[in-house]
Amino acid sequence: MFKADELLTPDASCLCGSAPCLLCGCCPSSNNSTITRLVFSFFLLMGTFVSVIMILPGMETQLRKIPGFCKGGTSIPGIENQVDCNVIVGYKSVYRMCFAMTCFFFLFCVIMIRVRSSKDPRAAIQNGFWFFKFLILVGITVGAFFIPDGTFHDVWFYFGLVGSFIFIIIQLILLIDFAHSWNKAWVENAENGNKCWFAGLLSFTVLHYALAIAAVVLFYIYYTMPDNCTEHKVFISLNLIFCVIVSIVSVLPKIQATQPYSGLLQASIISLYTMYVTWSAMTNNPNRKCNPSLLSLVSNVNTTQPSGGSPTGQVQWWDAQGIVGLIIFLFCTLYASIRSSSNTQVNKLMQTEEGGGSGGEGVVGEDGIRRAVDNEEESVTYNYSFFHFHLCLASLYIMMTLTNWYKPETNTQVMQSTMPAVWVKMSSSWLGLGLYLWTLIAPLIFPDRDFS
């Protein structure tokens, strides 16, 4: 008689077991927690990649050329075309793919509530069984494509608005944490004797502010008009004033006394990100006179609607703000997976504990497989449930980003810009600036608390 575990190959044990050894060959000195977050993030990025392929221009035309595949496409005698290619490509496919990822991560968010250490049986589910998790994700995805059109897209659009609003705040928190860690590391290097690090900090700070100021100038030139676009003028002016305020506050002597590693580098990064969110919001204004496409700005083409005002149904899927949004999304997702921060305020907001590096040497098991170090026997280093909630929100954000935050109109089969998307982005930028300002002044308001 053979034992069950003797029938499993080393690769199968990695796929089906409770130890996250899938990436350990590439990361021989990695912690259990880091590997798990990277693999879950890979699931999210894989779904994002599939969504990008589905929304590529001309994809439906290419699929219709496959004999016997799409309804209304090239047919094979005796075989009935079964696939509705209107659903598996375009914004409908993105909505369904991201719906599946949202459900997948929300499921694990619920399952992992109040997991305290790796000794909890649910921790084995969190840190292993990757093959079965992949099958679950595939199964939910397949089922999502059978959802009838009806009101699904309209309802899910508003779910996307709310989820993306929260995710933008999380992105800003991660950027604050990244800037804090960056500034702290370079200041410590400079204080150890190499003053070139100070020059590097100054250079990047000046670069970030220069880009932010250039963005403000371009916004006033191209996204406002003397007798129109009042909302844009208010948005640009308010965020410019708010960025100046947080920049001044960050270098006040009292702030520096309580937080010596706060400074203009963090404020410059936050200011630049705020200008990006402002730009992203203005590109969703349905008034085309106040919202010229980047292509029209470069080629000097008039993109305003005809006098009739009827939409043409043409959607520019790949615009500059969407591409920048994807880049920031990828950075924040990977950073959230590997971050090891000493910022107490950010750790509390992100439900993580203070980290101490990448971990010790991987452990070689009896089967000869190098496995990650279990650094969560006493307590978890991050909140499992909150991490999945973060990925759940990221799935909604990527759905909105890939569809340019357009609202689907089922009756007319077109996508339209909406003012709710504009207000969601702007309010998230204001709330994000408020959070950053709070991280600066909180130690002064509550001196008895530890904000180090």
Side-chain angles (χ1 to χ4, degrees), residues 96-97 99-101 103-104 131-146:
R96 284 164 167 76
M97 185 71 219
F99 171 80
M101 291 194 297
C103 291
F104 175 77
F131 178 71
F132 297 109
K133 291 175 185 174
F134 178 74
L135 289 183
I136 292 172
L137 178 58
V138 171
I140 298 175
T141 303
V142 172
F145 279 87
F146 287 94

mmCIF file of all heavy atoms in Angstrom, residues 96-97 99-101 103-104 131-146:
data_model
loop_
_atom_site.group_PDB
_atom_site.id
_atom_site.type_symbol
_atom_site.label_atom_id
_atom_site.label_comp_id
_atom_site.label_asym_id
_atom_site.label_seq_id
_atom_site.Cartn_x
_atom_site.Cartn_y
_atom_site.Cartn_z
ATOM 1 N N ARG A 96 -17.285 41.410 -16.337
ATOM 2 C CA ARG A 96 -17.479 40.042 -15.842
ATOM 3 C C ARG A 96 -16.194 39.470 -15.247
ATOM 4 O O ARG A 96 -16.223 38.785 -14.226
ATOM 5 C CB ARG A 96 -17.996 39.149 -16.966
ATOM 6 C CG ARG A 96 -19.470 39.369 -17.262
ATOM 7 C CD ARG A 96 -19.884 38.793 -18.608
ATOM 8 N NE ARG A 96 -21.332 38.751 -18.733
ATOM 9 C CZ ARG A 96 -22.113 39.804 -18.979
ATOM 10 N NH1 ARG A 96 -21.545 41.002 -19.125
ATOM 11 N NH2 ARG A 96 -23.415 39.682 -19.078
ATOM 12 N N MET A 97 -15.068 39.748 -15.881
ATOM 13 C CA MET A 97 -13.794 39.260 -15.355
ATOM 14 C C MET A 97 -13.507 39.883 -13.998
ATOM 15 O O MET A 97 -13.104 39.194 -13.048
ATOM 16 C CB MET A 97 -12.668 39.604 -16.343
ATOM 17 C CG MET A 97 -11.307 39.042 -15.957
ATOM 18 S SD MET A 97 -11.222 37.264 -16.145
ATOM 19 C CE MET A 97 -10.254 36.823 -14.710
ATOM 20 N N PHE A 99 -15.727 41.190 -11.992
ATOM 21 C CA PHE A 99 -16.745 40.698 -11.062
ATOM 22 C C PHE A 99 -16.294 39.375 -10.452
ATOM 23 O O PHE A 99 -16.435 39.147 -9.243
ATOM 24 C CB PHE A 99 -18.073 40.513 -11.798
ATOM 25 C CG PHE A 99 -19.131 39.816 -10.990
ATOM 26 C CD1 PHE A 99 -19.876 40.508 -10.049
ATOM 27 C CD2 PHE A 99 -19.386 38.458 -11.165
ATOM 28 C CE1 PHE A 99 -20.857 39.865 -9.294
ATOM 29 C CE2 PHE A 99 -20.352 37.808 -10.422
ATOM 30 C CZ PHE A 99 -21.089 38.510 -9.486
ATOM 31 N N ALA A 100 -15.728 38.498 -11.290
ATOM 32 C CA ALA A 100 -15.242 37.205 -10.797
ATOM 33 C C ALA A 100 -14.099 37.389 -9.805
ATOM 34 O O ALA A 100 -14.065 36.750 -8.746
ATOM 35 C CB ALA A 100 -14.794 36.337 -11.973
ATOM 36 N N MET A 101 -13.147 38.282 -10.115
ATOM 37 C CA MET A 101 -12.032 38.511 -9.196
ATOM 38 C C MET A 101 -12.511 39.129 -7.895
ATOM 39 O O MET A 101 -12.023 38.774 -6.813
ATOM 40 C CB MET A 101 -10.980 39.408 -9.864
ATOM 41 C CG MET A 101 -10.237 38.749 -11.007
ATOM 42 S SD MET A 101 -8.752 39.669 -11.508
ATOM 43 C CE MET A 101 -9.474 41.213 -12.064
ATOM 44 N N CYS A 103 -15.467 38.725 -6.484
ATOM 45 C CA CYS A 103 -16.123 37.658 -5.709
ATOM 46 C C CYS A 103 -15.084 36.715 -5.101
ATOM 47 O O CYS A 103 -15.232 36.284 -3.941
ATOM 48 C CB CYS A 103 -17.080 36.877 -6.608
ATOM 49 S SG CYS A 103 -18.526 37.807 -7.140
ATOM 50 N N PHE A 104 -14.044 36.397 -5.849
ATOM 51 C CA PHE A 104 -12.993 35.489 -5.381
ATOM 52 C C PHE A 104 -12.305 36.052 -4.147
ATOM 53 O O PHE A 104 -12.188 35.385 -3.105
ATOM 54 C CB PHE A 104 -11.985 35.257 -6.504
ATOM 55 C CG PHE A 104 -10.787 34.445 -6.112
ATOM 56 C CD1 PHE A 104 -10.872 33.066 -5.987
ATOM 57 C CD2 PHE A 104 -9.564 35.059 -5.878
ATOM 58 C CE1 PHE A 104 -9.764 32.309 -5.626
ATOM 59 C CE2 PHE A 104 -8.452 34.314 -5.518
ATOM 60 C CZ PHE A 104 -8.554 32.931 -5.392
ATOM 61 N N PHE A 131 -3.446 25.450 -6.470
ATOM 62 C CA PHE A 131 -4.100 24.874 -7.650
ATOM 63 C C PHE A 131 -5.618 24.931 -7.494
ATOM 64 O O PHE A 131 -6.346 25.282 -8.428
ATOM 65 C CB PHE A 131 -3.624 23.435 -7.856
ATOM 66 C CG PHE A 131 -4.281 22.740 -9.012
ATOM 67 C CD1 PHE A 131 -3.980 23.092 -10.312
ATOM 68 C CD2 PHE A 131 -5.206 21.727 -8.801
ATOM 69 C CE1 PHE A 131 -4.591 22.452 -11.382
ATOM 70 C CE2 PHE A 131 -5.814 21.080 -9.857
ATOM 71 C CZ PHE A 131 -5.509 21.447 -11.150
ATOM 72 N N PHE A 132 -6.109 24.591 -6.304
ATOM 73 C CA PHE A 132 -7.543 24.603 -6.074
ATOM 74 C C PHE A 132 -8.089 26.029 -6.064
ATOM 75 O O PHE A 132 -9.209 26.291 -6.503
ATOM 76 C CB PHE A 132 -7.870 23.890 -4.761
ATOM 77 C CG PHE A 132 -7.487 22.437 -4.766
ATOM 78 C CD1 PHE A 132 -6.421 21.977 -4.015
ATOM 79 C CD2 PHE A 132 -8.177 21.527 -5.548
ATOM 80 C CE1 PHE A 132 -6.053 20.648 -4.019
ATOM 81 C CE2 PHE A 132 -7.823 20.179 -5.557
ATOM 82 C CZ PHE A 132 -6.758 19.748 -4.800
ATOM 83 N N LYS A 133 -7.288 26.961 -5.560
ATOM 84 C CA LYS A 133 -7.705 28.365 -5.605
ATOM 85 C C LYS A 133 -7.828 28.835 -7.046
ATOM 86 O O LYS A 133 -8.779 29.558 -7.401
ATOM 87 C CB LYS A 133 -6.693 29.237 -4.855
ATOM 88 C CG LYS A 133 -6.665 29.040 -3.360
ATOM 89 C CD LYS A 133 -5.547 29.873 -2.760
ATOM 90 C CE LYS A 133 -5.400 29.602 -1.265
ATOM 91 N NZ LYS A 133 -4.237 30.305 -0.703
ATOM 92 N N PHE A 134 -6.879 28.432 -7.864
ATOM 93 C CA PHE A 134 -6.939 28.809 -9.274
ATOM 94 C C PHE A 134 -8.184 28.226 -9.940
ATOM 95 O O PHE A 134 -8.850 28.914 -10.737
ATOM 96 C CB PHE A 134 -5.670 28.316 -9.984
ATOM 97 C CG PHE A 134 -5.645 28.621 -11.455
ATOM 98 C CD1 PHE A 134 -5.413 29.910 -11.905
ATOM 99 C CD2 PHE A 134 -5.857 27.617 -12.387
ATOM 100 C CE1 PHE A 134 -5.395 30.191 -13.262
ATOM 101 C CE2 PHE A 134 -5.843 27.892 -13.742
ATOM 102 C CZ PHE A 134 -5.606 29.182 -14.179
ATOM 103 N N LEU A 135 -8.510 26.968 -9.605
ATOM 104 C CA LEU A 135 -9.720 26.364 -10.163
ATOM 105 C C LEU A 135 -10.967 27.115 -9.720
ATOM 106 O O LEU A 135 -11.913 27.299 -10.500
ATOM 107 C CB LEU A 135 -9.815 24.898 -9.737
ATOM 108 C CG LEU A 135 -8.819 23.917 -10.374
ATOM 109 C CD1 LEU A 135 -9.100 22.498 -9.899
ATOM 110 C CD2 LEU A 135 -8.888 23.983 -11.902
ATOM 111 N N ILE A 136 -10.995 27.558 -8.458
ATOM 112 C CA ILE A 136 -12.140 28.328 -7.965
ATOM 113 C C ILE A 136 -12.284 29.629 -8.748
ATOM 114 O O ILE A 136 -13.386 30.011 -9.166
ATOM 115 C CB ILE A 136 -11.986 28.607 -6.460
ATOM 116 C CG1 ILE A 136 -12.104 27.305 -5.654
ATOM 117 C CG2 ILE A 136 -13.040 29.609 -5.988
ATOM 118 C CD1 ILE A 136 -11.781 27.473 -4.174
ATOM 119 N N LEU A 137 -11.155 30.317 -8.965
ATOM 120 C CA LEU A 137 -11.191 31.569 -9.708
ATOM 121 C C LEU A 137 -11.674 31.341 -11.135
ATOM 122 O O LEU A 137 -12.502 32.104 -11.656
ATOM 123 C CB LEU A 137 -9.808 32.218 -9.707
ATOM 124 C CG LEU A 137 -9.661 33.522 -10.493
ATOM 125 C CD1 LEU A 137 -10.633 34.576 -9.973
ATOM 126 C CD2 LEU A 137 -8.223 34.043 -10.413
ATOM 127 N N VAL A 138 -11.171 30.288 -11.780
ATOM 128 C CA VAL A 138 -11.604 29.972 -13.151
ATOM 129 C C VAL A 138 -13.101 29.654 -13.170
ATOM 130 O O VAL A 138 -13.843 30.098 -14.060
ATOM 131 C CB VAL A 138 -10.786 28.802 -13.719
ATOM 132 C CG1 VAL A 138 -11.376 28.334 -15.054
ATOM 133 C CG2 VAL A 138 -9.332 29.212 -13.909
ATOM 134 N N GLY A 139 -13.569 28.882 -12.180
ATOM 135 C CA GLY A 139 -14.981 28.518 -12.127
ATOM 136 C C GLY A 139 -15.882 29.733 -11.966
ATOM 137 O O GLY A 139 -16.908 29.858 -12.650
ATOM 138 N N ILE A 140 -15.496 30.658 -11.071
ATOM 139 C CA ILE A 140 -16.295 31.875 -10.883
ATOM 140 C C ILE A 140 -16.282 32.714 -12.157
ATOM 141 O O ILE A 140 -17.298 33.302 -12.546
ATOM 142 C CB ILE A 140 -15.759 32.692 -9.691
ATOM 143 C CG1 ILE A 140 -15.879 31.891 -8.393
ATOM 144 C CG2 ILE A 140 -16.520 34.003 -9.557
ATOM 145 C CD1 ILE A 140 -15.261 32.591 -7.194
ATOM 146 N N THR A 141 -15.137 32.753 -12.836
ATOM 147 C CA THR A 141 -15.026 33.532 -14.071
ATOM 148 C C THR A 141 -15.939 32.978 -15.146
ATOM 149 O O THR A 141 -16.656 33.732 -15.829
ATOM 150 C CB THR A 141 -13.569 33.547 -14.562
ATOM 151 O OG1 THR A 141 -12.720 34.075 -13.537
ATOM 152 C CG2 THR A 141 -13.435 34.384 -15.816
ATOM 153 N N VAL A 142 -15.921 31.674 -15.320
ATOM 154 C CA VAL A 142 -16.786 31.049 -16.332
ATOM 155 C C VAL A 142 -18.254 31.336 -16.007
ATOM 156 O O VAL A 142 -19.049 31.691 -16.890
ATOM 157 C CB VAL A 142 -16.528 29.530 -16.404
ATOM 158 C CG1 VAL A 142 -17.553 28.855 -17.308
ATOM 159 C CG2 VAL A 142 -15.118 29.256 -16.915
ATOM 160 N N GLY A 143 -18.625 31.201 -14.748
ATOM 161 C CA GLY A 143 -19.997 31.479 -14.357
ATOM 162 C C GLY A 143 -20.391 32.927 -14.593
ATOM 163 O O GLY A 143 -21.541 33.216 -14.944
ATOM 164 N N ALA A 144 -19.434 33.867 -14.417
ATOM 165 C CA ALA A 144 -19.740 35.292 -14.590
ATOM 166 C C ALA A 144 -20.137 35.620 -16.020
ATOM 167 O O ALA A 144 -20.932 36.538 -16.254
ATOM 168 C CB ALA A 144 -18.530 36.139 -14.172
ATOM 169 N N PHE A 145 -19.613 34.874 -16.987
ATOM 170 C CA PHE A 145 -19.928 35.154 -18.381
ATOM 171 C C PHE A 145 -21.320 34.661 -18.777
ATOM 172 O O PHE A 145 -21.767 34.913 -19.897
ATOM 173 C CB PHE A 145 -18.862 34.541 -19.291
ATOM 174 C CG PHE A 145 -17.627 35.379 -19.400
ATOM 175 C CD1 PHE A 145 -16.596 35.251 -18.482
ATOM 176 C CD2 PHE A 145 -17.495 36.333 -20.395
ATOM 177 C CE1 PHE A 145 -15.450 36.028 -18.564
ATOM 178 C CE2 PHE A 145 -16.365 37.117 -20.493
ATOM 179 C CZ PHE A 145 -15.336 36.971 -19.575
ATOM 180 N N PHE A 146 -21.982 33.952 -17.890
ATOM 181 C CA PHE A 146 -23.354 33.525 -18.144
ATOM 182 C C PHE A 146 -24.369 34.446 -17.467
ATOM 183 O O PHE A 146 -25.574 34.185 -17.520
ATOM 184 C CB PHE A 146 -23.552 32.084 -17.654
ATOM 185 C CG PHE A 146 -22.889 31.063 -18.526
ATOM 186 C CD1 PHE A 146 -21.612 30.601 -18.223
ATOM 187 C CD2 PHE A 146 -23.513 30.579 -19.664
ATOM 188 C CE1 PHE A 146 -20.984 29.655 -19.022
ATOM 189 C CE2 PHE A 146 -22.891 29.637 -20.478
ATOM 190 C CZ PHE A 146 -21.624 29.174 -20.167
#
